[in-house]
Amino acid sequence: MSREAVLLVSVGASRRDAEPWIAALAARLPGLRVAALGDDVDPAAVRYVAAWKPPHGALARLPSLRAIFSLGAGVDHLMADAALPPGVPVARVVDPDLTARMSEWVLLHVLLHHRQAGRYRRQQRESRWADDAVQPAARAVRVGVMGLGVLGLDAAAKLRMVGFDVAGWSRAPKNVPGLASFAGPDGLDTFLARTDILVVLLPLTPDTAGLLDAALFRRLARDGRLGGPVLINAGRGGLQRESDILRCLDDGTLLAATLDVFEREPLDRASPLWRHPAVTITPHNAALSDPDAIANLIAGQIEGVERGEELRHVVDRGRGF
Ligand SMILES: NC(=O)c1ccc[n+]([C@@H]2O[C@H](COP(=O)([O-])OP(=O)(O)OC[C@H]3O[C@@H](n4cnc5c(N)ncnc54)[C@H](OP(=O)(O)O)[C@@H]3O)[C@@H](O)[C@H]2O)c1
């Protein structure tokens, strides 16, 4: 690797946000200068970019750019940039550390709804011993996972291990033993009609934006053992219509919702979602990217490219994920 080549890191609003990433990447890539966006860098020296939500236009006019690495599994933050250099491959994070974190979050929140944690929290606050609630077995609860990619398949496998009756929905059908698979717009109705807990791990693309609306919630199962359908979204906020979620919680179309992602982040303090008794909120941290794990992945990718190997986990820019 030439001494002058630069890996440009763009994370957050200030250089401080980028520093843990710069340190982790520089330690693994001694042959590259690792710099932050905004540092004094010759644009022609920039060979790679590692970015999370870079300012639109910031990656244009880098003539030697060979690859752009998203610092997360999602790439909607890059695809939304009309000035993203067209010929440059974009690679995303596919990493067992991130996948395990997401499955942990999914299991936790599915189990909290399944085991009626909200009810027992209320009872405890009231010092009230009431053991008359019916607790269905996991096998009697139908979980539907929207998005059967790296994250969806791992979460589905772990949910099955706990005993839930799990199905999945994706663009193309999947052949996974023990997992009922539904695909495309034609498979959506049947998938929703057999879903008590809907877990969303879809990417945000032009095809999925706004998919989680009242019309979709009305197609979820009404005959489940939990008393109503539950929404759990850790995909992206742009998938959901928050006004529809609130309306459907209030009119009984939805029993409860757990949301990690929001139409606008951070979620406005004035949003009624914060105070709704049937809503659980986590601050888009279902599966954070660990700088060390992700730096290992990116360093391995760069070393491979420099050896002439193919870049892995490349996004199809036509389909948007
Ligand atoms: N909240 C967090 O902390 C956090 C962390 C990481 C990731 N995420 C989100 O999770 C998303 C999924 O990550 P991943 O690694 O699992 O992605 P992935 O491997 O690319 O999988 C995406 C899945 O979505 C399906 N899909 C895409 N468009 C569809 C459509 N129009 N209709 C039906 N299915 C569609 C794909 O179907 P096919 O398999 O048929 O192509 C695939 O199964 C990311 O894009 C990101 O937004 C959130």
Side-chain angles (χ1 to χ4, degrees):
M1 255 182 246
S2 130
R3 276 269 148 204
E4 290 78 39
V6 170
L7 163 58
L8 197 61
V9 177
S10 171
V11 187
S14 73
R15 196 181 196 284
R16 230 156 121 208
D17 298 319
E19 268 158 15
W21 292 97
I22 291 175
L25 287 160
R28 289 161 177 83
L29 292 162
L32 278 179
R33 176 181 165 209
V34 185
L37 189 71
D39 287 356
D40 185 17
V41 167
D42 172 8
V46 176
R47 199 177 284 183
Y48 302 100
V49 164
W52 183 250
K53 300 185 182 172
H56 287 186
L59 311 186
R61 289 179 295 282
L62 299 173
S64 314
L65 194 58
R66 292 188 185 170
I68 299 169
F69 298 98
S70 169
L71 289 175
V75 290
D76 44 293
H77 63 109
L78 293 168
M79 297 299 127
D81 181 357
L84 200 71
V88 179
V90 175
R92 66 194 198 90
V93 168
V94 173
D95 181 71
D97 175 85
L98 187 141
T99 304
R101 288 165 191 252
M102 179 59 85
S103 291
E104 243 176 53
W105 184 92
V106 168
L107 278 182
L108 169 69
H109 290 284
V110 168
L111 283 166
L112 286 175
H113 291 290
H114 169 58
R115 296 302 305 233
Q116 309 173 66
R119 170 195 299 269
Y120 296 112
R121 221 175 288 133
R122 273 193 307 279
Q123 285 186 192
Q124 185 174 347
R125 268 202 303 271
E126 296 160 10
S127 310
R128 188 161 57 85
W129 184 282
D131 59 0
D132 53 345
V134 176
Q135 177 57 58
R139 66 175 181 283
V141 173
R142 299 161 295 181
V143 181
V145 180
M146 287 187 112
L148 288 177
V150 174
L151 301 182
L153 282 174
D154 192 72
K158 289 173 179 164
L159 288 162
R160 282 185 47 235
M161 254 185 256
V162 177
F164 290 106
D165 179 0
V166 185
W169 182 75
S170 45
R171 287 178 324 144
K174 304 278 176 273
N175 190 3
V176 179
L179 179 72
S181 162
F182 300 88
D186 293 347
L188 187 57
D189 263 334
T190 325
F191 166 77
L192 293 171
R194 54 83 66 214
T195 294
D196 302 317
I197 301 181
L198 183 66
V199 173
V200 184
L201 290 171
L202 285 168
L204 177 61
T205 70
D207 288 339
T208 61
L211 189 64
L212 305 175
D213 64 2
L216 181 138
F217 303 143
R218 281 195 283 271
R219 290 145 78 190
L220 288 163
R222 306 294 327 161
D223 58 350
R225 299 290 303 278
L226 300 178
V230 172
L231 168 68
I232 297 181
N233 183 15
R236 278 290 179 267
L239 299 167
Q240 72 200 14
R241 295 268 176 266
E242 284 160 19
S243 53
D244 285 15
I245 294 175
L246 285 161
R247 187 153 46 91
C248 288
L249 287 167
D250 289 341
D251 71 12
T253 304
L254 287 174
L255 178 73
T258 296
L259 306 173
D260 183 58
V261 288
F262 301 89
E263 287 175 29
R264 272 195 202 86
E265 296 177 4
L267 181 63
D268 196 290
R269 282 176 66 89
S271 168
L273 286 170
W274 285 112
R275 286 169 297 282
H276 198 290
V279 175
T280 302
I281 287 175
T282 55
H284 197 150
N285 65 354
L288 290 181
S289 300
D290 170 50
D292 282 324
I294 308 307
N296 279 339
L297 174 79
I298 293 176
Q301 286 263 59
I302 289 178
E303 284 160 0
V305 172
E306 293 289 329
R307 282 194 300 269
E309 292 165 17
E310 245 176 66
L311 193 66
R312 292 169 299 130
H313 316 311
V314 175
V315 168
D316 179 335
R317 289 175 63 167
R319 65 180 194 188
F321 73 100

